[in-house]
Amino acid sequence: MATIANLTVKSDDSFEGTLATLTVSAPIAIIPNNRKAKDSEPDYRIVSRKNGFELGAGWKRFSQNTGAEYVSVSLSAPEFGTIYGNIANAPGDDPSKKVIIWNPPS
């Protein structure tokens, strides 16, 4: 499992951090979708903090094994195509630190 972003949880339930791959390093924000009107719409929008462009979205999910809630994300840009991942706790004991773990296609 590869970490592709380091994030900090903000007081408004958003996340801020850096998306980082071998070829991309970009400041991102994952913000609650306050305009969500249907269950099929994303719970979060992922935007570039550099230019405000939308890069993807995130959906709240529940683990089949533990029942714990997590956020599943999808990011797309010409530089890297489409990336799928999950927001998870970062190593250590700081609950304000999260990471995006890449889910490679099978």
Side-chain angles (χ1 to χ4, degrees):
M1 293 189 288
T3 298
I4 58 168
N6 291 302
L7 306 169
T8 300
V9 179
K10 308 306 257 180
S11 61
D12 62 356
D13 196 31
S14 68
F15 305 85
E16 284 189 357
T18 302
L19 172 68
T21 69
L22 293 175
T23 59
V24 174
S25 180
I28 61 170
I30 303 172
I31 54 176
N33 181 10
N34 295 327
R35 294 182 291 164
K36 181 175 177 169
K38 297 185 261 182
D39 285 340
S40 60
E41 293 178 356
D43 296 296
Y44 292 91
R45 298 284 186 193
I46 303 172
V47 296
S48 166
R49 290 186 357 229
K50 185 175 182 179
N51 56 25
F53 293 162
E54 187 164 332
L55 300 173
W59 291 263
K60 292 180 181 178
R61 302 282 189 241
F62 293 94
S63 168
Q64 293 177 338
N65 295 335
T66 67
E69 185 177 83
Y70 67 96
V71 178
S72 173
V73 298
S74 172
L75 302 131
S76 294
E79 296 82 1
F80 53 77
T82 300
I83 296 176
Y84 298 100
N86 296 323
I87 297 178
N89 293 327
D93 295 329
D94 188 345
S96 71
K97 301 296 181 189
K98 304 289 183 185
V99 294
I100 296 179
I101 304 295
W102 176 46
N103 289 340
S106 24

